[in-house]
Each structure stands twice: as C-alpha cells, then as structure tokens.
Amino acid sequence: SFDGRQSQVAAALQRGVCRTLRALGHSVVAELPLANGRRADVVGLSPSGDVLIVEIKSCLVDYRTDGKWHEYLDYCDRLYFAVAADFPCEVIPEHAGLILADRYGAELVREPAETRLSAARRKAMMICFARAAALRLQHHLDPGCGFES
Amino acid sequence: SFDGRQSQVAAALQRGVCRTLRALGHSVVAELPLANGRRADVVGLSPSGDVLIVEIKSCLVDYRTDGKWHEYLDYCDRLYFAVAADFPCEVIPEHAGLILADRYGAELVREPAETRLSAARRKAMMICFARAAALRLQHHLDPGCGFES
C-alpha cells in the first residue's frame, strides 16, 4: 500500500510531529522497535517520564491496511494518530488522540484516553528509548564506533 | 589546568571509552549535565538499566584539580576513572573503577564498589540520559528542529 509518494508524505508528517513534540517539551525517537516486534513511528518522552506513541498515517489506505494499532496501546500512556489536513478524520476512533501535521509542525486536535504504563513496562520503554537514541547518536558522532545503526 | 593538548587527550580517551562501552553492550551519552550542576564526562546505560559514570582524566593535574568526583557517586551504580596508559594509577582510590583508554578503545582494569541507585533516582537518571540523547539526535537529523543542543 506504500508507494514513494506516500512514503514522502509520511516522512514529512513525521518531521512536523517531531518538531512540535519537541516544542511541547518532549524528546522523541522515530522508528522505535518495540518488544512485541512492532515498530512505533514516533515515541515521545515527557520530562516526567510519560510515554506517548504517534502513528503516522499518510492516507486512508495506509490507515486501513494497518489493522494492528491496538498493539501499540500496551507500550505507551497515550496513543495518537497523526494525519494530514485532508485526511478523513472521522474514521479514527475517538479514544485515540488526533494530530494534524505537515512538514513544519503539528496541532494536537484531540487528546486520547490515557492508559498508564506499569512501572516495570515504563522502565523497559525508557531503556528501549534511551538506548535507541544514544546508539544512533553515537553512530552519528563517531561512525567508526560499531556496526549497529 | 586544561590547555589544548589536554583537551585533545581527553577527547581521544572519551572516544575510546565510548567505543568499548558500546562493544560491551552499553549505550552512552557524553557530557551529560546532572541535577547537581556537575557534568558527567561519559554516562553508560546497560540493557537492564544500570547506570555507570566514567570520568576522563587527561593527566595528573587534571585529576588533582577536580576535587569533587564524590558528587558523581549519587548518580550512578558504578563510578570509573579513565586514564591513558602513562597515568600514575596509584593515586586513584581503590573503591573507584579504573579504565585504561586510548582513542581506539579501552580496557576495564578494575571494577568499582557498587552503590545501587534508588528506584526514583534511577528513573530520573534514565529520563535525563534519554532526553539528552534524543534531543541531540533530533538536532543532528533535523537541524531546524529547535534552538537547543
């Protein structure tokens, strides 16, 4: 369901979401592999340790062909969908958050229901997030540091 | 006490320490500001969430003029000093860990006494580490994302 055009749209939305999350005080990691084998498009970490996941949907087909978004709920306190302004938002369930985005920024249109992580799962997610960010950063700063990415 | 030569030595040791910590399974962040106003030279995070701090000492003068290393003990499970092979290691207290390093790698010569972080302090350190890594990474990937570094 993904062609090049849709990938470009998704990348643009992702950048805008990440910029706005940063402006709101979150740190972010994109394309974070989760323990269940799924990969979260954007994970945000608040200064107090709250974890949010944002799934980017480039178009309705992209949304409809990804039936497994419930699997992200177990890995965050709040789950959002981020879409472009022309997306038919009524298809997104009301208990998920809604973000309208473009490549320059994003607007939080609807806050989702909150389902708090257990302390153990939160610790595991923070380690996962921290390691991904630090390993990728080190790879940028010292490309000879290893073979991981 | 720092001239350009000593800064270069410290940067080389830091790179070697970070490479070897990565090879040992840790993720690392350099120059991490702590809640007490100090700045840790290298912080390592293990896959299970253990936190270690490595203080880089480029020479004996550098070691002797930094009298406050006890202040790092409250922010890690294990504290190490990393020095070059020609450093007079006998001045380093035995309850601190010892790492010999060059710009390509490092060797853990002595494990330190372990003082485990409380759960609350560990969470705070993981958030601090995760945020620094993620904010710096985002800045590398998207230089227009903000004004922080």
Side-chain angles (χ1 to χ4, degrees), chain A residues 72-92:
Chain A
Y72 298 110
L73 286 172
D74 290 339
Y75 295 88
C76 61
D77 299 302
R78 298 192 297 281
L79 177 67
Y80 301 82
F81 286 98
V83 297
D86 60 355
F87 188 91
C89 295
E90 63 277 7
V91 304
I92 294 175

Side-chain angles (χ1 to χ4, degrees), chain A residues 123-135, chain B residues 21-22 24-29 32 42-54 75 77-78 117 122-123 125-130 133:
Chain A
K123 180 181 176 184
M125 274 302 290
M126 290 199 305
I127 292 172
C128 172
F129 178 102
R131 287 180 63 80
L135 290 171
Chain B
L21 287 178
R22 183 188 185 102
L24 293 172
H26 296 266
S27 56
V28 296
V29 169
L32 186 69
V42 175
V43 178
L45 181 68
S46 83
S48 62
D50 278 20
V51 178
L52 57 86
I53 291 180
V54 182
Y75 295 89
D77 298 302
R78 299 193 296 280
L117 292 172
R122 185 179 311 284
K123 180 181 175 184
M125 274 302 288
M126 290 200 304
I127 293 173
C128 173
F129 179 102

Side-chain angles (χ1 to χ4, degrees), chain B residues 88-105:
Chain B
C89 296
E90 62 277 8
V91 304
I92 293 175
E94 288 207 355
H95 55 281
L98 178 62
I99 296 173
L100 295 184
D102 61 24
R103 67 181 293 104
Y104 300 103

Side-chain angles (χ1 to χ4, degrees), chain A residues 99-112:
Chain A
I99 296 174
L100 294 184
D102 61 25
R103 68 182 291 103
Y104 300 104
E107 181 185 3
L108 270 69
V109 175
R110 185 177 68 229
E111 285 289 338

Side-chain angles (χ1 to χ4, degrees), chain A residues 30-107:
Chain A
E31 309 295 340
L32 186 69
L34 304 176
N36 66 355
R38 305 284 292 174
R39 180 188 294 252
D41 289 337
V42 175
V43 178
L45 181 68
S46 82
S48 62
D50 278 19
V51 178
L52 56 87
I53 291 180
V54 182
E55 284 303 296
I56 311 283
K57 296 302 172 191
S58 61
C59 64
L60 189 57
V61 171
D62 180 23
Y63 177 81
R64 291 220 158 120
T65 54
D66 182 12
K68 297 181 182 165
W69 63 271
H70 288 89
E71 295 182 32
Y72 298 110
L73 286 172
D74 290 339
Y75 295 88
C76 61
D77 299 302
R78 298 192 297 281
L79 177 67
Y80 301 82
F81 286 98
V83 297
D86 60 355
F87 188 91
C89 295
E90 63 277 7
V91 304
I92 294 175
E94 287 209 355
H95 55 281
L98 177 62
I99 296 174
L100 294 184
D102 61 25
R103 68 182 291 103
Y104 300 104
E107 181 185 3

